[in-house]
Amino acid sequence: MNPVTRHPVRITPELLLRAYRAGLFPMAESRDAGRLYWLDPEMRGILPLQGFHLPRRLARTVLSGGFTVTADTAFSRVITLCAAPAPGREDSWINPEIEALFTALHELGVGHSVEVWQNDRLVGGLYGVAMGGVFFGESMFSRVRDASKVALVHLVARLRLGGFVLLDTQFITTHLTQFGALEIPRASYRQRLSAALETDARWLVTPDGLEEEIRALRV
């Protein structure tokens, strides 16, 4: 994972934001790990906002009304469920320090979540950090089919409506490549990051035109 170093001093929310601006992000080796690593991958995962690939079947699911989607209403629950064991993912890089740091960022107004509900039950979601025109995606979870995918679609639509230009996924997975995620070299990422941080964008909790923007994502 291209670890840079174990952190020698206490990480504060302010230090964490400076690290993101420099292209670094923290991870723990396990849920119970007592220390964090700063990571700076040679290849960085991004999801192009203007090249997002939304399959027709998933578009129908998103627009069917079977899920209720909100933003910033259950941040702490989302990060806890992202860290919780799940089939195929018995451990997590999200330790208690990560939870505390990102909860603090949420309280500062830069940490955000998207929540997916089914019959008043939180069944999917994601969280990350917004600065300038960049959204740094951190983690997502799903407890029923397609719930995390629905959260991602809503995230992309919100980011596009808010004027964001870069969605950082850190790494790429099969789950993300189906939507158009790709890897770019560290130097290219930092160039995009620098420009995107200077972009004036707004995180929209309840944006107008959300359904129309989702329809525009279909391929």
Side-chain angles (χ1 to χ4, degrees):
M1 294 192 300
N2 300 95
V4 177
T5 183
R6 290 177 185 241
H7 70 82
V9 295
R10 175 176 171 266
I11 298 180
T12 64
E14 293 73 21
L15 176 60
L16 183 55
L17 292 178
R18 290 201 300 271
Y20 272 99
R21 287 182 172 275
L24 308 178
F25 58 90
M27 295 181 74
E29 288 186 321
S30 68
R31 176 66 173 158
D32 298 326
R35 294 188 178 185
L36 304 181
Y37 283 101
W38 290 117
L39 278 85
D40 185 18
E42 293 181 6
M43 299 296 292
R44 190 70 165 243
I46 65 168
L47 185 52
L49 292 170
Q50 299 307 318
F52 186 78
H53 176 90
L54 177 57
R56 292 185 182 276
R57 184 199 66 79
L58 181 58
R60 290 194 295 271
T61 298
V62 174
L63 296 168
S64 69
F67 296 106
T68 300
V69 183
T70 58
D72 289 350
T73 65
F75 185 92
S76 61
R77 291 178 63 189
V78 167
I79 192 170
T80 296
L81 287 168
C82 284
R89 191 191 65 189
E90 284 66 38
D91 202 354
S92 172
W93 58 267
I94 303 172
N95 70 354
E97 185 175 7
I98 291 280
E99 285 195 64
L101 283 167
F102 283 89
T103 298
L105 293 186
H106 176 62
E107 293 169 354
L108 289 172
V110 294
H112 300 288
S113 60
V114 175
E115 305 93 19
V116 179
W117 309 82
Q118 188 176 62
N119 300 323
D120 297 323
R121 177 189 170 214
L122 184 58
V123 295
L126 56 81
Y127 77 96
V129 175
M131 288 194 291
V134 188
F135 189 88
F136 302 91
E138 287 297 315
S139 187
M140 60 177 62
F141 79 95
S142 185
R143 292 296 181 267
V144 301
R145 183 184 181 188
D146 290 336
S148 63
K149 296 177 183 178
V150 170
L152 180 61
V153 171
H154 272 260
L155 171 68
V156 169
R158 278 177 166 79
L159 296 181
R160 285 167 50 120
L161 287 170
F164 286 79
V165 295
L166 180 60
L167 173 50
D168 174 10
T169 66
Q170 299 176 350
F171 304 105
I172 63 171
T173 63
T174 303
H175 179 78
L176 292 173
T177 55
Q178 66 183 300
F179 298 108
L182 52 88
E183 287 184 317
I184 60 174
R186 179 189 294 149
S188 297
Y189 170 75
R190 287 183 174 172
Q191 290 177 348
R192 296 193 189 200
L193 174 63
S194 178
L197 286 170
E198 298 302 317
T199 300
D200 184 19
R202 294 186 302 125
W203 171 258
L204 303 173
V205 175
T206 55
D208 294 328
L210 184 61
E211 182 173 325
E212 291 79 4
E213 188 65 28
I214 292 172
R215 291 183 184 280
L217 297 173
R218 289 185 296 181
V219 296

